[in-house]
Amino acid sequence: MSGYTDEQLAQISNELRERVLQMIAKAGSGHPGGSLSAADIMTYLFYEVLRLDPQHPKWPDRDRFILAKGHAAPILYAILAKRGFFPEAWLDTLRQLGSPLQGHPSMKDTPGVEASTGSLGQGLSFGVGVALAGKLDQKDYRVYVLLGDGEVQEGQVWEAAMAAAKFRLDNLTAILDYNGVQSDGKVPDVMPLEPLADKWRAFGWAVWEIDGHNFADIRRAVTEARGVRGQPAMIVAHTVKGKGVSFMEHRAEWHGKAPSAAELATALTELHAHRQPAGDAGASGKGREGDDQQ
Amino acid sequence: MILQARYQWGKTQKATRDAYGEALVALGRTNPDVVVLDADLSKSTKTALFAAEFPERFFNAGIAEQDMMGIAAGLAASGKIPFPSTFAVFAAGRAYDQIRNSICYPNLNVKIGASHAGLTVGEDGASHQMLEDIALMRVLPNMTVVVPADATEAAKAVPALAARPGPAYLRLGRPAVPVLFDDDYPFEVGRAALLREGRDVAILACGVMVASALQAAEELAAAGIEAAVLNVSTIKPIDQEAVTWAARTFGALVTAEEHSVIGGLGSAVAEVVAETVPVPVVRVGVRDVFGQSGKPAELLAHYGLTPAAISQACRDVIARRDARH
């Protein structure tokens, strides 16, 4: 798919953010912060890049999107429903007994979910396997893996990083949702990652560093990454945890907490204001409310 | 019906890992979807044989077992039948969470070849002597666990597991062990095989302890005690029919395995027996301790995994049964 303006993508992304918060509020638990930070990247991928057929979720030639940071399941479910993989009504069953929408992604339960994730650090290895299979079968599908920043503290991620470079997996693009906040606090306080882009370069990856809320940035990096030959691609996307909701932005407490009814109402009002056609210029609002913490 | 099979004390000895490596090559020739992974132990696990013939379908993950399991999961999700292979301690232990969450939870078609299991690793010592893997793998939903008794059974298990959808754990040993079975051995996943008829007691064994159980039965026969011997090579799903038949027929069971007595074959049998035909069970295995360096035969003797220990267990369990009446 293609042909969306940045403004249209921003509009879709904010609608998805609203849906995510509604889902988590209804479920009474879940992870809003990392869903909101990933919303723009995932909107771009699912609306402009990924070759998918929602009617045939197992189509062998489809592109694969693997949500390694599985706790961001709500944004994945919201986007899969919006793309038609399953009815939107399912979203109201998130985390409930018997629901096809598990608390973390389950490939056996949900159409369009490519990997069962949630135990952090495992998604990139899985993506390496899918990319290797694509090479073996001489398929031209591409594998996208979205990693969390705290997630790359897991040693397995770096095992997978070595393997992807060794096997010259130029059909693999990883994107790192670098929102700088994890469950226990700011990433540099919990376990510093810097120099992060240099680490991926040192592991043999082609690396981009972008603003993960700027669609022009995302478009350029994802497009250039597709052109790389002989090595995997890593896009380090600087994002804002809780992006779009002033009282959630940059705050670790919103890593894994459901909003109350009043908080949800405030958040929806803010997000809705962002997507008023006259008042919003799209994704260029990075930092606009980022420091406005309550 | 209980599966019946013949055995013989042949002149040949062969390691189950050697049979595994050869069987992978044979399977690779007929099934292009079979791929093999290793973690820098391909000479030891014998996957080097596959690598030599099918280099494009062999992936060395380096010393990174967690990544190897994850890559295998991704390959399986894309239609391949991967056999990630390493030592049992690094497969079931090091990569447990990857096996649980990336492989078993989504029920992916990954066949784990776990060599160098048990005490018979020998001199490498406790760090490498995996005695808990049957327990760890058996408890995972969707997982199949097979412990072949000899090279013939190991070779038959490879294509059988490849043909069976879902994850599997194939437990293999380092040393050459007696080849008990001919090519006509009727291996089936999930079926125990009666190797020797009995009258007084049944021994249910797996892996290298099957040969020891047969020796024990011969010793007991000389003393007038007739012990049936079953090769329970599939630990999960356990052959409920065979276990309950043995419990009902003999009223006294001995289990024998090169594994902790906690959580392995003995536990699986005891679980079935306790819920169906409660009879005395005595478990021969490692008594909740780590191993140590030594020669395989020395270690088996030191930790009580011998024909003599099995014979004594048979006498004990018969006495317990008879004391009830």
Side-chain angles (χ1 to χ4, degrees), chain A residues 1-6 8-9 12 41-51 63 83 144 215 218-220 222-223 226:
Chain A
M1 303 177 83
S2 63
Y4 289 90
T5 65
D6 291 0
Q8 287 170 320
L9 290 169
I12 294 167
I41 295 161
M42 288 176 60
T43 296
Y44 177 74
L45 290 176
F46 275 86
Y47 277 82
E48 286 224 349
V49 177
L50 297 177
R51 187 172 67 194
D63 289 332
R83 284 292 321 268
Y144 292 86
F215 287 105
I218 300 170
R219 177 179 291 108
R220 180 180 53 78
V222 169
T223 304
R226 270 203 301 274

Side-chain angles (χ1 to χ4, degrees), chain B residues 3-25:
Chain B
L3 206 60
Q4 301 210 16
R6 294 181 295 110
Y7 74 97
Q8 61 191 16
W9 295 114
K11 303 235 181 328
T12 57
Q13 294 217 334
K14 187 172 183 175
T16 50
R17 60 175 167 141
D18 284 311
Y20 173 69
E22 294 164 11
L24 285 178
V25 173

Side-chain angles (χ1 to χ4, degrees), chain B residues 123-137:
Chain B
E123 291 82 349
D124 276 352
S127 62
H128 285 53
Q129 291 162 353
M130 187 36 140
L131 299 171
E132 310 94 52
D133 54 334
I134 298 174
L136 288 167
M137 294 295 101

Side-chain angles (χ1 to χ4, degrees), chain A residues 102 105-109 116 119 122 125-126 128-130 132-133 136-137 141 156 159-160 163 166-167, chain B residues 35 56-57 59-60 64-67 70-71 73-75 77-78 80 97-98 101-102 105-108:
Chain A
Q102 292 294 294
S106 170
M107 61 185 287
K108 283 285 183 259
D109 290 299
S116 296
S119 180
Q122 300 192 22
S125 298
F126 193 99
V128 167
V130 177
L132 272 179
L136 275 175
D137 293 338
Y141 65 71
Q156 187 186 348
E159 296 180 359
K166 171 189 168 177
F167 297 122
Chain B
V35 297
E56 73 289 353
R57 284 194 271 154
F59 306 104
N60 200 324
E65 295 80 12
Q66 303 171 47
D67 186 43
I71 294 173
L75 285 161
S78 311
K80 304 300 172 193
D97 187 43
Q98 287 71 23
N101 280 307
S102 284
Y105 177 37
N107 197 17
L108 290 171

Side-chain angles (χ1 to χ4, degrees), chain A residues 95-288:
Chain A
R95 288 178 168 247
Q96 290 176 16
L97 184 66
S99 170
L101 304 187
Q102 292 294 294
H104 291 83
S106 170
M107 61 185 287
K108 283 285 183 259
D109 290 299
T110 314
V113 169
E114 294 285 358
S116 296
T117 53
S119 180
L120 291 173
Q122 300 192 22
L124 188 58
S125 298
F126 193 99
V128 167
V130 177
L132 272 179
K135 293 283 187 189
L136 275 175
D137 293 338
Q138 297 180 315
K139 298 252 182 210
D140 68 347
Y141 65 71
R142 194 164 185 86
V143 182
Y144 292 86
V145 179
L146 184 65
L147 293 153
D149 48 5
E151 176 175 22
V152 306
Q153 291 160 356
E154 290 279 7
Q156 187 186 348
V157 172
W158 301 98
E159 296 180 359
M162 282 187 277
K166 171 189 168 177
F167 297 122
R168 302 167 58 86
L169 295 178
D170 52 18
N171 54 349
L172 173 66
T173 297
I175 302 169
L176 203 154
D177 181 8
Y178 199 175
N179 59 39
V181 178
Q182 58 189 112
S183 192
D184 271 356
K186 294 190 186 330
V187 170
D189 295 334
V190 177
M191 184 55 67
L193 299 175
E194 288 296 333
L196 189 52
D198 286 345
K199 285 176 181 163
W200 287 94
R201 281 188 201 102
F203 274 71
W205 291 56
V207 179
W208 288 259
E209 249 188 306
I210 64 163
D211 174 353
H213 300 304
N214 181 312
F215 287 105
D217 259 25
I218 300 170
R219 177 179 291 108
R220 180 180 53 78
V222 169
T223 304
E224 289 179 6
R226 270 203 301 274
V228 171
R229 292 292 170 265
Q231 65 183 145
M234 162 56 74
I235 299 170
V236 177
H238 293 271
T239 59
V240 173
K241 190 115 174 177
K243 171 70 175 173
V245 178
S246 59
F247 61 89
M248 290 184 177
E249 289 191 350
H250 304 291
R251 295 181 69 95
E253 67 180 277
W254 287 102
H255 170 81
K257 186 176 83 167
S260 68
E263 288 164 339
L264 175 65
T266 306
L268 293 180
T269 304
E270 282 191 22
L271 287 167
H272 204 71
H274 292 333
R275 64 179 174 99
Q276 293 307 307
D280 190 47
S284 60
K286 175 176 179 273
R288 182 177 48 196

Side-chain angles (χ1 to χ4, degrees), chain B residues 15-79:
Chain B
T16 50
R17 60 175 167 141
D18 284 311
Y20 173 69
E22 294 164 11
L24 285 178
V25 173
L27 183 62
R29 286 176 186 152
T30 59
N31 190 335
D33 289 332
V34 169
V35 297
V36 175
L37 300 92
D38 209 300
D40 194 41
L41 290 169
S42 64
K43 292 191 195 71
S44 300
T45 62
K46 303 301 175 184
T47 62
L49 299 170
F50 187 95
E53 184 155 339
F54 306 104
E56 73 289 353
R57 284 194 271 154
F58 175 81
F59 306 104
N60 200 324
I63 307 170
E65 295 80 12
Q66 303 171 47
D67 186 43
M68 176 175 71
M69 293 302 175
I71 294 173
L75 285 161
S78 311

